[in-house]
Amino acid sequence: MKKIINDPKQVVDESVAGFAIAHADLVRVETDPIYVVRADAPVAGKVGLVSGGGSGHEPLHAGYVGYGMLDAAVPGPVFTSPTPDPILAATKAVDGGAGVLHIVKNYTGDVLNFETAADLAAADGIEVRAVITNDDVAVKDSLYTAGRRGVAGTVLVEKIAGAAAQRGDNLDQVADIAERVNANARTMGLALTPCIVPHAGEPSFTLAEDEYELGIGIHGEPGRERLKLEPADKMVDRLLGPILEDLPYASGDRVLLFVNGMGGTPEVELFIAYKHAADVLAEKGITIERSLVGNYITSLEMQGMSITLLKLDDEFVELWDAPVQTPALRWGR
Amino acid sequence: MKKIINDPKQVVDESVAGFAIAHADLVRVETDPIYVVRADAPVAGKVGLVSGGGSGHEPLHAGYVGYGMLDAAVPGPVFTSPTPDPILAATKAVDGGAGVLHIVKNYTGDVLNFETAADLAAADGIEVRAVITNDDVAVKDSLYTAGRRGVAGTVLVEKIAGAAAQRGDNLDQVADIAERVNANARTMGLALTPCIVPHAGEPSFTLAEDEYELGIGIHGEPGRERLKLEPADKMVDRLLGPILEDLPYASGDRVLLFVNGMGGTPEVELFIAYKHAADVLAEKGITIERSLVGNYITSLEMQGMSITLLKLDDEFVELWDAPVQTPALRWGR
């Protein structure tokens, strides 16, 4: 296992401590229990947004804490859900009197622990709503999930719902927008290599030198099938096909095209994939109005990518373009 | 070789074509010869900044084209200098009448080809100055360089000199600031794994499962020594030691601490390294006033990192904080 770490058991604590120093202008970090919160939290009168989940997907979620996006992120151990305790603490810390929205990727542990935290927060008089993201079209159920997995679409939900909260929408309005983004987003991913969870010390799965896994989850859990390596354009076709059919997306639609790196794939490859995806969408009469290309929700050092389409309307575009100031997404302010 | 590519010979062309579509709001791309230029170039009366070099280091340099940073970037083939022809074309394209600054990493091919392009531009009546970056403390000469290599400090030179040009400094002033940033920046890197140049198809070097290379260059060229894997804190000590001694940096100094990923190292590891570097600097009485952590100058999918220190003064801080709007660095506007 080749990693820049000290004690495998201290990976998350040490990393978050570094993150806190590097981004002290935007966030502060609580350590007992551990969570990352906007430096100016709670923002009075604003709906608070809390997300979280296992670590190893950085910059998700802590990288999205700040003005116009999340109010707090709760990092669990690598690829393991945080317990209800820090989720509850984060929920309380961001409650500015307008209620709190939990944005939860559909993984069984996350869903359960966020639910428990929401119940405890409600008992303390905080109004909480939850949105479960489940944008992955690859598999119906998976190793860690009943129903579809919540993957890269979550980044778009956090940005757009975060902008809605920032402009002053109430809890029901912010939750409805988050639900609507999730309902209009579809994702599928692939992996060329596995990744190694530090405390496990060995790859989560194996792939032959000439194979890749289509429909992979963000923890390396199995996808649809194992295929022989093929050209990038063909890989993109295999991701885009099921995505386009699923909503479905159709000629005349306006979309955000999001090509996400799994952590170990160089940017030069992501833009090759983006290019072909753009060509395919153009052929189908689908207009790309916004784009996002880079490592935004990762699986440690896994080589691979996912493609996400979000069907846009005027409100989504306005909220996407709205100012955001977080460690990993920053513009317009 | 596991990569998301089509034809290895088309990697740069296809990737840049995708980049052009994804970032059409900020840049446009010329294809014959190939270069990336600010959408609004040339900016009348502003000094133009041009950088470039072999591809495979993304987001450097094309990711830094835009308001407040570079006016153009010239991508060569992977790990190979661009020829004078596209450098000349880019220089002409960004000349707003106030002259053009070339920012060139100290690699022999880049230095020669930028010199030739500058001579040709001068013959066409464009005033050109060049700044050669050489911030790498690891080795005196290397496989591709006479003198020290230009590495991650280049990103800081481009940002700060770009801000000086944007505020209206003249060519000599912008060049002087670029020289001064380079003179106050020191970098050293390490690699845990090699990378594979697409048209070569195999790793540029080999490292045993328990080894890393200290003092690596950004093309995988050899560094100082090969060491057995050790804890992150020890690796950081081995990078920071030579950096601190070299300028030298001393108690009372204000610095920008830049922990850069080589492409294949997850963010969670970079922040662990950042944390220890911050602790070491605090012990030495050196104040971190600004930070940058992430993949900003890479070596394809190489796992590894570099650490850069820039000694700050008030002007550097003001120019660092100034608005920037590029694909890879965006804030304040």
Side-chain angles (χ1 to χ4, degrees), chain A residues 2 4-6 15 18 22 192 208-209 211 231-233 263-264 268-269 271 274 303 330 332-333, chain B residues 2 4-6 15 18 22 192 208-209 211 231-233 263-264 268-269 271 274 301 303 330 332-333:
Chain A
K2 289 193 153 184
I4 303 170
I5 61 173
N6 294 301
S15 187
L192 304 186
E209 251 315 297
E211 281 181 339
D233 289 359
V268 73
E269 297 177 30
F271 281 108
Y274 176 91
Q303 290 186 19
R330 253 191 232 211
R333 187 166 183 251
Chain B
K2 289 193 155 185
I4 302 171
I5 62 173
N6 294 300
S15 187
L192 304 186
E209 251 315 296
E211 282 182 340
D233 289 359
V268 72
E269 296 177 30
F271 282 108
Y274 176 91
E301 73 279 9
Q303 291 186 19
R330 254 192 231 209
R333 187 171 183 250

mmCIF file of all heavy atoms in Angstrom, chain A residues 2 4-6 15 18 22 192 208-209 211 231-233 263-264 268-269 271 274 303 330 332-333, chain B residues 2 4-6 15 18 22 192 208-209 211 231-233 263-264 268-269 271 274 301 303 330 332-333:
data_model
loop_
_atom_site.group_PDB
_atom_site.id
_atom_site.type_symbol
_atom_site.label_atom_id
_atom_site.label_comp_id
_atom_site.label_asym_id
_atom_site.label_seq_id
_atom_site.Cartn_x
_atom_site.Cartn_y
_atom_site.Cartn_z
ATOM 1 N N LYS A 2 0.775 2.029 -1.080
ATOM 2 C CA LYS A 2 1.594 3.240 -1.176
ATOM 3 C C LYS A 2 0.728 4.468 -0.915
ATOM 4 O O LYS A 2 -0.080 4.864 -1.757
ATOM 5 C CB LYS A 2 2.201 3.333 -2.571
ATOM 6 C CG LYS A 2 3.294 2.303 -2.812
ATOM 7 C CD LYS A 2 4.080 2.609 -4.058
ATOM 8 C CE LYS A 2 5.500 2.054 -3.953
ATOM 9 N NZ LYS A 2 6.325 2.416 -5.098
ATOM 10 N N ILE A 4 0.523 8.449 1.325
ATOM 11 C CA ILE A 4 1.142 9.478 2.146
ATOM 12 C C ILE A 4 0.295 9.609 3.408
ATOM 13 O O ILE A 4 -0.582 10.459 3.510
ATOM 14 C CB ILE A 4 1.239 10.804 1.372
ATOM 15 C CG1 ILE A 4 2.032 10.587 0.070
ATOM 16 C CG2 ILE A 4 1.887 11.884 2.230
ATOM 17 C CD1 ILE A 4 1.983 11.769 -0.887
ATOM 18 N N ILE A 5 0.524 8.692 4.334
ATOM 19 C CA ILE A 5 -0.239 8.690 5.583
ATOM 20 C C ILE A 5 0.710 8.361 6.733
ATOM 21 O O ILE A 5 1.842 7.918 6.517
ATOM 22 C CB ILE A 5 -1.390 7.658 5.574
ATOM 23 C CG1 ILE A 5 -0.858 6.222 5.401
ATOM 24 C CG2 ILE A 5 -2.382 7.978 4.452
ATOM 25 C CD1 ILE A 5 -1.921 5.145 5.551
ATOM 26 N N ASN A 6 0.220 8.576 7.947
ATOM 27 C CA ASN A 6 0.944 8.121 9.127
ATOM 28 C C ASN A 6 0.242 6.857 9.614
ATOM 29 O O ASN A 6 0.349 5.825 8.993
ATOM 30 C CB ASN A 6 0.986 9.234 10.174
ATOM 31 C CG ASN A 6 1.810 10.424 9.695
ATOM 32 O OD1 ASN A 6 2.992 10.281 9.399
ATOM 33 N ND2 ASN A 6 1.190 11.590 9.577
ATOM 34 N N SER A 15 -6.232 14.462 8.355
ATOM 35 C CA SER A 15 -6.550 15.154 7.116
ATOM 36 C C SER A 15 -7.502 16.317 7.367
ATOM 37 O O SER A 15 -7.302 17.427 6.852
ATOM 38 C CB SER A 15 -7.162 14.165 6.121
ATOM 39 O OG SER A 15 -7.332 14.769 4.868
ATOM 40 N N GLY A 18 -5.705 19.208 8.857
ATOM 41 C CA GLY A 18 -4.999 19.986 7.843
ATOM 42 C C GLY A 18 -5.947 20.863 7.049
ATOM 43 O O GLY A 18 -5.683 22.045 6.821
ATOM 44 N N ALA A 22 -5.852 24.940 6.419
ATOM 45 C CA ALA A 22 -5.721 25.472 5.054
ATOM 46 C C ALA A 22 -6.908 26.342 4.675
ATOM 47 O O ALA A 22 -6.757 27.289 3.897
ATOM 48 C CB ALA A 22 -5.561 24.321 4.065
ATOM 49 N N LEU A 192 -11.147 1.844 -13.777
ATOM 50 C CA LEU A 192 -10.049 1.116 -14.425
ATOM 51 C C LEU A 192 -9.199 0.377 -13.395
ATOM 52 O O LEU A 192 -8.544 -0.617 -13.719
ATOM 53 C CB LEU A 192 -9.154 2.082 -15.199
ATOM 54 C CG LEU A 192 -9.806 2.973 -16.255
ATOM 55 C CD1 LEU A 192 -8.736 3.758 -17.003
ATOM 56 C CD2 LEU A 192 -10.619 2.158 -17.231
ATOM 57 N N ALA A 208 -8.213 -7.287 -13.889
ATOM 58 C CA ALA A 208 -7.066 -7.667 -14.709
ATOM 59 C C ALA A 208 -6.537 -6.451 -15.459
ATOM 60 O O ALA A 208 -7.209 -5.433 -15.576
ATOM 61 C CB ALA A 208 -7.481 -8.764 -15.695
ATOM 62 N N GLU A 209 -5.313 -6.574 -15.966
ATOM 63 C CA GLU A 209 -4.645 -5.447 -16.631
ATOM 64 C C GLU A 209 -5.399 -4.965 -17.874
ATOM 65 O O GLU A 209 -5.199 -3.843 -18.331
ATOM 66 C CB GLU A 209 -3.217 -5.852 -17.029
ATOM 67 C CG GLU A 209 -2.130 -5.183 -16.219
ATOM 68 C CD GLU A 209 -2.338 -3.681 -16.005
ATOM 69 O OE1 GLU A 209 -2.336 -2.946 -17.002
ATOM 70 O OE2 GLU A 209 -2.503 -3.238 -14.859
ATOM 71 N N GLU A 211 -8.864 -5.077 -18.131
ATOM 72 C CA GLU A 211 -10.291 -5.001 -17.793
ATOM 73 C C GLU A 211 -10.662 -3.671 -17.144
ATOM 74 O O GLU A 211 -9.839 -3.039 -16.495
ATOM 75 C CB GLU A 211 -10.622 -6.086 -16.757
ATOM 76 C CG GLU A 211 -10.789 -7.471 -17.292
ATOM 77 C CD GLU A 211 -11.150 -8.443 -16.160
ATOM 78 O OE1 GLU A 211 -10.885 -8.134 -14.965
ATOM 79 O OE2 GLU A 211 -11.693 -9.501 -16.478
ATOM 80 N N PRO A 231 -11.641 1.900 -26.383
ATOM 81 C CA PRO A 231 -11.362 3.329 -26.512
ATOM 82 C C PRO A 231 -12.309 4.186 -25.661
ATOM 83 O O PRO A 231 -13.433 3.778 -25.367
ATOM 84 C CB PRO A 231 -11.596 3.597 -28.009
ATOM 85 C CG PRO A 231 -11.380 2.277 -28.674
ATOM 86 C CD PRO A 231 -11.894 1.269 -27.684
ATOM 87 N N ALA A 232 -11.830 5.361 -25.306
ATOM 88 C CA ALA A 232 -12.586 6.277 -24.463
ATOM 89 C C ALA A 232 -13.982 6.522 -25.009
ATOM 90 O O ALA A 232 -14.961 6.543 -24.250
ATOM 91 C CB ALA A 232 -11.833 7.601 -24.333
ATOM 92 N N ASP A 233 -14.091 6.713 -26.317
ATOM 93 C CA ASP A 233 -15.401 7.038 -26.886
ATOM 94 C C ASP A 233 -16.412 5.934 -26.631
ATOM 95 O O ASP A 233 -17.585 6.184 -26.348
ATOM 96 C CB ASP A 233 -15.277 7.294 -28.394
ATOM 97 C CG ASP A 233 -14.560 8.601 -28.699
ATOM 98 O OD1 ASP A 233 -14.182 9.309 -27.746
ATOM 99 O OD2 ASP A 233 -14.367 8.906 -29.893
ATOM 100 N N GLY A 263 -10.525 10.115 -8.895
ATOM 101 C CA GLY A 263 -9.410 10.439 -8.010
ATOM 102 C C GLY A 263 -8.060 10.234 -8.674
ATOM 103 O O GLY A 263 -7.188 11.076 -8.582
ATOM 104 N N GLY A 264 -7.889 9.096 -9.345
ATOM 105 C CA GLY A 264 -6.578 8.773 -9.905
ATOM 106 C C GLY A 264 -6.464 8.971 -11.405
ATOM 107 O O GLY A 264 -5.426 8.656 -11.989
ATOM 108 N N VAL A 268 -6.441 15.261 -18.271
ATOM 109 C CA VAL A 268 -6.359 15.160 -19.719
ATOM 110 C C VAL A 268 -7.315 14.079 -20.239
ATOM 111 O O VAL A 268 -7.923 14.220 -21.306
ATOM 112 C CB VAL A 268 -4.888 14.910 -20.141
ATOM 113 C CG1 VAL A 268 -4.431 13.508 -19.813
ATOM 114 C CG2 VAL A 268 -4.613 15.246 -21.585
ATOM 115 N N GLU A 269 -7.511 13.011 -19.474
ATOM 116 C CA GLU A 269 -8.435 11.951 -19.883
ATOM 117 C C GLU A 269 -9.889 12.365 -19.694
ATOM 118 O O GLU A 269 -10.753 12.017 -20.504
ATOM 119 C CB GLU A 269 -8.133 10.665 -19.100
ATOM 120 C CG GLU A 269 -6.732 10.126 -19.387
ATOM 121 C CD GLU A 269 -6.379 8.882 -18.571
ATOM 122 O OE1 GLU A 269 -7.276 8.103 -18.222
ATOM 123 O OE2 GLU A 269 -5.181 8.699 -18.271
ATOM 124 N N PHE A 271 -11.166 15.259 -20.027
ATOM 125 C CA PHE A 271 -11.607 16.142 -21.106
ATOM 126 C C PHE A 271 -11.774 15.395 -22.431
ATOM 127 O O PHE A 271 -12.579 15.801 -23.269
ATOM 128 C CB PHE A 271 -10.670 17.337 -21.250
ATOM 129 C CG PHE A 271 -10.912 18.400 -20.223
ATOM 130 C CD1 PHE A 271 -10.008 18.614 -19.194
ATOM 131 C CD2 PHE A 271 -12.056 19.177 -20.270
ATOM 132 C CE1 PHE A 271 -10.233 19.588 -18.229
ATOM 133 C CE2 PHE A 271 -12.297 20.163 -19.307
ATOM 134 C CZ PHE A 271 -11.376 20.369 -18.286
ATOM 135 N N TYR A 274 -15.171 14.038 -21.921
ATOM 136 C CA TYR A 274 -16.125 15.156 -22.037
ATOM 137 C C TYR A 274 -16.376 15.488 -23.497
ATOM 138 O O TYR A 274 -17.520 15.714 -23.913
ATOM 139 C CB TYR A 274 -15.581 16.384 -21.300
ATOM 140 C CG TYR A 274 -16.466 17.590 -21.468
ATOM 141 C CD1 TYR A 274 -17.484 17.861 -20.551
ATOM 142 C CD2 TYR A 274 -16.316 18.433 -22.555
ATOM 143 C CE1 TYR A 274 -18.322 18.951 -20.731
ATOM 144 C CE2 TYR A 274 -17.148 19.514 -22.749
ATOM 145 C CZ TYR A 274 -18.146 19.775 -21.836
ATOM 146 O OH TYR A 274 -18.983 20.847 -22.012
ATOM 147 N N GLN A 303 -8.713 4.923 -10.389
ATOM 148 C CA GLN A 303 -8.762 5.480 -11.727
ATOM 149 C C GLN A 303 -10.110 5.152 -12.338
ATOM 150 O O GLN A 303 -10.549 4.003 -12.327
ATOM 151 C CB GLN A 303 -7.634 4.922 -12.597
ATOM 152 C CG GLN A 303 -6.265 5.431 -12.163
ATOM 153 C CD GLN A 303 -5.152 5.007 -13.112
ATOM 154 O OE1 GLN A 303 -5.389 4.634 -14.244
ATOM 155 N NE2 GLN A 303 -3.919 5.086 -12.628
ATOM 156 N N ARG A 330 -15.830 27.634 -6.198
ATOM 157 C CA ARG A 330 -15.811 29.052 -5.874
ATOM 158 C C ARG A 330 -16.063 29.844 -7.127
ATOM 159 O O ARG A 330 -15.326 29.709 -8.097
ATOM 160 C CB ARG A 330 -14.419 29.452 -5.406
ATOM 161 C CG ARG A 330 -14.308 29.713 -3.947
ATOM 162 C CD ARG A 330 -12.987 30.356 -3.656
ATOM 163 N NE ARG A 330 -12.327 29.606 -2.605
ATOM 164 C CZ ARG A 330 -11.497 30.163 -1.718
ATOM 165 N NH1 ARG A 330 -11.198 31.434 -1.795
ATOM 166 N NH2 ARG A 330 -10.945 29.434 -0.794
ATOM 167 N N GLY A 332 -18.092 33.772 -8.582
ATOM 168 C CA GLY A 332 -19.116 34.807 -8.535
ATOM 169 C C GLY A 332 -19.180 35.630 -7.278
ATOM 170 O O GLY A 332 -20.187 36.295 -7.024
ATOM 171 N N ARG A 333 -18.120 35.627 -6.471
ATOM 172 C CA ARG A 333 -18.186 36.437 -5.267
ATOM 173 C C ARG A 333 -16.774 36.759 -4.793
ATOM 174 O O ARG A 333 -15.943 35.882 -4.789
ATOM 175 C CB ARG A 333 -18.906 35.666 -4.157
ATOM 176 C CG ARG A 333 -19.168 36.495 -2.925
ATOM 177 C CD ARG A 333 -20.169 35.787 -2.048
ATOM 178 N NE ARG A 333 -20.497 36.601 -0.885
ATOM 179 C CZ ARG A 333 -20.114 36.323 0.370
ATOM 180 N NH1 ARG A 333 -19.370 35.287 0.611
ATOM 181 N NH2 ARG A 333 -20.482 37.092 1.373
ATOM 182 N N LYS B 2 -3.653 1.483 -18.592
ATOM 183 C CA LYS B 2 -5.083 1.716 -18.372
ATOM 184 C C LYS B 2 -5.373 3.206 -18.429
ATOM 185 O O LYS B 2 -5.045 3.945 -17.492
ATOM 186 C CB LYS B 2 -5.491 1.149 -17.027
ATOM 187 C CG LYS B 2 -5.507 -0.367 -16.988
ATOM 188 C CD LYS B 2 -6.205 -0.896 -15.763
ATOM 189 C CE LYS B 2 -6.757 -2.295 -16.022
ATOM 190 N NZ LYS B 2 -7.538 -2.803 -14.882
ATOM 191 N N ILE B 4 -8.228 6.358 -20.116
ATOM 192 C CA ILE B 4 -9.449 6.720 -20.836
ATOM 193 C C ILE B 4 -9.024 7.580 -22.024
ATOM 194 O O ILE B 4 -9.033 8.819 -21.960
ATOM 195 C CB ILE B 4 -10.431 7.450 -19.904
ATOM 196 C CG1 ILE B 4 -10.757 6.564 -18.694
ATOM 197 C CG2 ILE B 4 -11.702 7.837 -20.664
ATOM 198 C CD1 ILE B 4 -11.536 7.260 -17.593
ATOM 199 N N ILE B 5 -8.581 6.916 -23.082
ATOM 200 C CA ILE B 5 -8.127 7.626 -24.283
ATOM 201 C C ILE B 5 -8.604 6.868 -25.518
ATOM 202 O O ILE B 5 -9.057 5.737 -25.420
ATOM 203 C CB ILE B 5 -6.587 7.754 -24.328
ATOM 204 C CG1 ILE B 5 -5.920 6.374 -24.384
ATOM 205 C CG2 ILE B 5 -6.079 8.540 -23.137
ATOM 206 C CD1 ILE B 5 -4.412 6.419 -24.608
ATOM 207 N N ASN B 6 -8.484 7.523 -26.648
ATOM 208 C CA ASN B 6 -8.716 6.845 -27.916
ATOM 209 C C ASN B 6 -7.350 6.568 -28.528
ATOM 210 O O ASN B 6 -6.621 5.722 -28.041
ATOM 211 C CB ASN B 6 -9.609 7.719 -28.814
ATOM 212 C CG ASN B 6 -11.003 7.875 -28.223
ATOM 213 O OD1 ASN B 6 -11.697 6.895 -28.027
ATOM 214 N ND2 ASN B 6 -11.408 9.101 -27.905
ATOM 215 N N SER B 15 -8.258 16.234 -25.928
ATOM 216 C CA SER B 15 -8.460 16.776 -24.587
ATOM 217 C C SER B 15 -8.656 18.286 -24.636
ATOM 218 O O SER B 15 -9.560 18.831 -23.994
ATOM 219 C CB SER B 15 -7.268 16.412 -23.701
ATOM 220 O OG SER B 15 -7.510 16.792 -22.375
ATOM 221 N N GLY B 18 -12.082 19.160 -25.849
ATOM 222 C CA GLY B 18 -13.074 19.051 -24.779
ATOM 223 C C GLY B 18 -12.996 20.223 -23.823
ATOM 224 O O GLY B 18 -14.013 20.818 -23.448
ATOM 225 N N ALA B 22 -15.979 22.854 -22.682
ATOM 226 C CA ALA B 22 -16.367 22.943 -21.266
ATOM 227 C C ALA B 22 -16.137 24.339 -20.701
ATOM 228 O O ALA B 22 -16.862 24.780 -19.819
ATOM 229 C CB ALA B 22 -15.589 21.913 -20.443
ATOM 230 N N LEU B 192 5.421 8.274 -5.377
ATOM 231 C CA LEU B 192 5.232 6.912 -4.885
ATOM 232 C C LEU B 192 5.127 5.928 -6.041
ATOM 233 O O LEU B 192 5.407 4.743 -5.889
ATOM 234 C CB LEU B 192 3.947 6.819 -4.045
ATOM 235 C CG LEU B 192 3.821 7.763 -2.853
ATOM 236 C CD1 LEU B 192 2.565 7.418 -2.067
ATOM 237 C CD2 LEU B 192 5.035 7.684 -1.951
ATOM 238 N N ALA B 208 9.973 -0.060 -6.628
ATOM 239 C CA ALA B 208 9.495 -1.247 -5.919
ATOM 240 C C ALA B 208 8.293 -0.891 -5.046
ATOM 241 O O ALA B 208 8.053 0.278 -4.741
ATOM 242 C CB ALA B 208 10.621 -1.831 -5.067
ATOM 243 N N GLU B 209 7.564 -1.918 -4.642
ATOM 244 C CA GLU B 209 6.329 -1.731 -3.871
ATOM 245 C C GLU B 209 6.578 -1.022 -2.533
ATOM 246 O O GLU B 209 5.660 -0.477 -1.939
ATOM 247 C CB GLU B 209 5.649 -3.088 -3.625
ATOM 248 C CG GLU B 209 4.366 -3.291 -4.421
ATOM 249 C CD GLU B 209 3.418 -2.095 -4.414
ATOM 250 O OE1 GLU B 209 2.912 -1.737 -3.340
ATOM 251 O OE2 GLU B 209 3.205 -1.495 -5.488
ATOM 252 N N GLU B 211 9.085 1.344 -2.095
ATOM 253 C CA GLU B 211 10.004 2.466 -2.343
ATOM 254 C C GLU B 211 9.274 3.730 -2.785
ATOM 255 O O GLU B 211 8.228 3.658 -3.405
ATOM 256 C CB GLU B 211 10.958 2.109 -3.495
ATOM 257 C CG GLU B 211 12.091 1.201 -3.153
ATOM 258 C CD GLU B 211 12.979 0.960 -4.377
ATOM 259 O OE1 GLU B 211 12.508 1.171 -5.527
ATOM 260 O OE2 GLU B 211 14.125 0.555 -4.182
ATOM 261 N N PRO B 231 6.436 7.039 7.137
ATOM 262 C CA PRO B 231 5.221 7.799 7.438
ATOM 263 C C PRO B 231 5.215 9.180 6.750
ATOM 264 O O PRO B 231 6.272 9.751 6.470
ATOM 265 C CB PRO B 231 5.268 7.952 8.963
ATOM 266 C CG PRO B 231 6.110 6.819 9.430
ATOM 267 C CD PRO B 231 7.139 6.619 8.357
ATOM 268 N N ALA B 232 4.013 9.676 6.518
ATOM 269 C CA ALA B 232 3.836 10.958 5.831
ATOM 270 C C ALA B 232 4.659 12.068 6.494
ATOM 271 O O ALA B 232 5.280 12.889 5.798
ATOM 272 C CB ALA B 232 2.353 11.340 5.841
ATOM 273 N N ASP B 233 4.671 12.095 7.820
ATOM 274 C CA ASP B 233 5.367 13.184 8.503
ATOM 275 C C ASP B 233 6.854 13.186 8.152
ATOM 276 O O ASP B 233 7.476 14.239 7.990
ATOM 277 C CB ASP B 233 5.191 13.064 10.026
ATOM 278 C CG ASP B 233 3.771 13.400 10.464
ATOM 279 O OD1 ASP B 233 2.930 13.747 9.596
ATOM 280 O OD2 ASP B 233 3.502 13.316 11.678
ATOM 281 N N GLY B 263 -1.214 14.119 -9.170
ATOM 282 C CA GLY B 263 -2.267 13.657 -10.066
ATOM 283 C C GLY B 263 -3.026 12.458 -9.519
ATOM 284 O O GLY B 263 -4.247 12.424 -9.539
ATOM 285 N N GLY B 264 -2.298 11.469 -9.008
ATOM 286 C CA GLY B 264 -2.935 10.232 -8.578
ATOM 287 C C GLY B 264 -3.067 10.086 -7.069
ATOM 288 O O GLY B 264 -3.521 9.055 -6.587
ATOM 289 N N VAL B 268 -7.212 13.467 0.547
ATOM 290 C CA VAL B 268 -7.124 13.155 1.969
ATOM 291 C C VAL B 268 -5.652 13.036 2.402
ATOM 292 O O VAL B 268 -5.274 13.442 3.518
ATOM 293 C CB VAL B 268 -7.949 11.867 2.271
ATOM 294 C CG1 VAL B 268 -7.274 10.627 1.742
ATOM 295 C CG2 VAL B 268 -8.303 11.725 3.715
ATOM 296 N N GLU B 269 -4.795 12.548 1.506
ATOM 297 C CA GLU B 269 -3.369 12.433 1.826
ATOM 298 C C GLU B 269 -2.668 13.792 1.766
ATOM 299 O O GLU B 269 -1.764 14.075 2.566
ATOM 300 C CB GLU B 269 -2.697 11.444 0.864
ATOM 301 C CG GLU B 269 -3.246 10.030 1.007
ATOM 302 C CD GLU B 269 -2.648 9.038 0.008
ATOM 303 O OE1 GLU B 269 -1.484 9.203 -0.412
ATOM 304 O OE2 GLU B 269 -3.370 8.082 -0.362
ATOM 305 N N PHE B 271 -3.850 16.639 2.559
ATOM 306 C CA PHE B 271 -4.122 17.421 3.766
ATOM 307 C C PHE B 271 -3.385 16.864 4.984
ATOM 308 O O PHE B 271 -3.089 17.599 5.920
ATOM 309 C CB PHE B 271 -5.627 17.537 4.022
ATOM 310 C CG PHE B 271 -6.287 18.570 3.142
ATOM 311 C CD1 PHE B 271 -7.111 18.201 2.104
ATOM 312 C CD2 PHE B 271 -6.043 19.924 3.347
ATOM 313 C CE1 PHE B 271 -7.718 19.160 1.283
ATOM 314 C CE2 PHE B 271 -6.629 20.896 2.534
ATOM 315 C CZ PHE B 271 -7.470 20.511 1.502
ATOM 316 N N TYR B 274 -0.104 18.449 4.483
ATOM 317 C CA TYR B 274 -0.237 19.877 4.799
ATOM 318 C C TYR B 274 -0.215 20.096 6.316
ATOM 319 O O TYR B 274 0.426 21.025 6.817
ATOM 320 C CB TYR B 274 -1.541 20.426 4.202
ATOM 321 C CG TYR B 274 -1.795 21.860 4.573
ATOM 322 C CD1 TYR B 274 -1.345 22.902 3.761
ATOM 323 C CD2 TYR B 274 -2.436 22.185 5.762
ATOM 324 C CE1 TYR B 274 -1.535 24.226 4.130
ATOM 325 C CE2 TYR B 274 -2.633 23.492 6.141
ATOM 326 C CZ TYR B 274 -2.185 24.510 5.317
ATOM 327 O OH TYR B 274 -2.370 25.821 5.692
ATOM 328 N N GLU B 301 -0.988 10.463 -14.019
ATOM 329 C CA GLU B 301 -1.598 9.756 -12.887
ATOM 330 C C GLU B 301 -0.585 9.419 -11.792
ATOM 331 O O GLU B 301 -0.867 8.604 -10.904
ATOM 332 C CB GLU B 301 -2.291 8.482 -13.383
ATOM 333 C CG GLU B 301 -1.358 7.349 -13.794
ATOM 334 C CD GLU B 301 -0.792 7.505 -15.215
ATOM 335 O OE1 GLU B 301 -0.991 8.573 -15.831
ATOM 336 O OE2 GLU B 301 -0.131 6.567 -15.692
ATOM 337 N N GLN B 303 1.354 9.077 -8.481
ATOM 338 C CA GLN B 303 1.060 9.318 -7.074
ATOM 339 C C GLN B 303 2.264 9.978 -6.435
ATOM 340 O O GLN B 303 3.387 9.505 -6.575
ATOM 341 C CB GLN B 303 0.721 8.008 -6.348
ATOM 342 C CG GLN B 303 -0.618 7.430 -6.797
ATOM 343 C CD GLN B 303 -1.038 6.216 -5.970
ATOM 344 O OE1 GLN B 303 -0.539 6.005 -4.882
ATOM 345 N NE2 GLN B 303 -1.970 5.443 -6.504
ATOM 346 N N ARG B 330 -10.290 30.214 -9.302
ATOM 347 C CA ARG B 330 -11.337 31.226 -9.418
ATOM 348 C C ARG B 330 -11.666 31.776 -8.056
ATOM 349 O O ARG B 330 -12.031 31.017 -7.164
ATOM 350 C CB ARG B 330 -12.619 30.550 -9.923
ATOM 351 C CG ARG B 330 -12.947 30.827 -11.345
ATOM 352 C CD ARG B 330 -14.362 30.361 -11.604
ATOM 353 N NE ARG B 330 -14.345 29.520 -12.784
ATOM 354 C CZ ARG B 330 -15.372 29.388 -13.625
ATOM 355 N NH1 ARG B 330 -16.490 30.030 -13.390
ATOM 356 N NH2 ARG B 330 -15.286 28.626 -14.670
ATOM 357 N N GLY B 332 -13.021 35.716 -5.974
ATOM 358 C CA GLY B 332 -13.071 37.174 -5.843
ATOM 359 C C GLY B 332 -13.708 37.935 -6.966
ATOM 360 O O GLY B 332 -13.515 39.138 -7.056
ATOM 361 N N ARG B 333 -14.459 37.252 -7.836
ATOM 362 C CA ARG B 333 -15.067 38.017 -8.922
ATOM 363 C C ARG B 333 -16.265 37.245 -9.455
ATOM 364 O O ARG B 333 -16.182 36.062 -9.645
ATOM 365 C CB ARG B 333 -14.043 38.233 -10.044
ATOM 366 C CG ARG B 333 -14.557 39.168 -11.130
ATOM 367 C CD ARG B 333 -13.417 39.487 -12.063
ATOM 368 N NE ARG B 333 -13.847 40.435 -13.094
ATOM 369 C CZ ARG B 333 -14.008 40.136 -14.381
ATOM 370 N NH1 ARG B 333 -13.834 38.917 -14.807
ATOM 371 N NH2 ARG B 333 -14.371 41.060 -15.243
#
